[in-house]
Amino acid sequence: MTIHFVQSVAADLKVPFDVASALLVDFQFVENNLKEAFELRREETLESSGLSHIETMVMDDADFPKEATCGICYEEVGRESSYSLDCGHYFCKECWSDY
């Protein structure tokens, strides 16, 4: 699995890189099957992959500030270095991965 492939899937599904990686593993790296399932049954797809607790995580440029404060380490982080939740909380990728 290449980084570019996972980044592409993450962008298509509008989910963080780590979520796309886990989904691809669960779908045995068959991108079309994953995208179809995700489009038709997003919540069920996340839940069946053990990711239901992050269902609200979305990367949306329109709602995402250029910089935000990480809710864990309180550092200012740029859009490309963080994840956001629908509730408006932001986390740097390093803190999210460590969590």
Side-chain angles (χ1 to χ4, degrees):
M1 170 167 57
T2 67
I3 290 173
H4 178 71
F5 175 63
V6 177
Q7 288 173 332
S8 174
V9 171
D12 290 346
L13 300 179
K14 296 186 185 296
V15 297
F17 182 90
D18 296 342
V19 173
S21 295
L23 289 168
L24 283 165
V25 168
D26 195 48
F27 278 79
Q28 300 177 338
F29 306 98
V30 182
E31 182 179 5
N32 291 337
N33 291 353
L34 168 56
K35 287 181 177 179
E36 182 179 327
F38 198 80
E39 183 179 317
L40 296 173
R41 300 173 312 277
R42 177 186 171 103
E43 289 183 40
E44 293 87 351
T45 302
L46 288 164
E47 187 175 326
S48 71
S49 297
L51 300 168
S52 59
H53 64 288
I54 52 85
E55 194 277 326
T56 59
M57 293 184 67
V58 177
M59 294 168 29
D60 186 354
D61 288 345
D63 298 326
F64 198 85
K66 290 184 180 176
E67 286 199 348
T69 302
C70 173
I72 297 172
C73 69
Y74 302 105
E75 294 288 325
E76 289 294 315
V77 292
R79 173 186 317 200
E80 67 283 345
S81 302
S82 59
Y83 298 134
S84 69
L85 301 174
D86 284 344
C87 61
H89 291 98
Y90 299 91
F91 304 95
C92 68
K93 290 182 178 181
E94 183 177 344
C95 287
W96 181 259
S97 295
D98 289 345
Y99 179 74

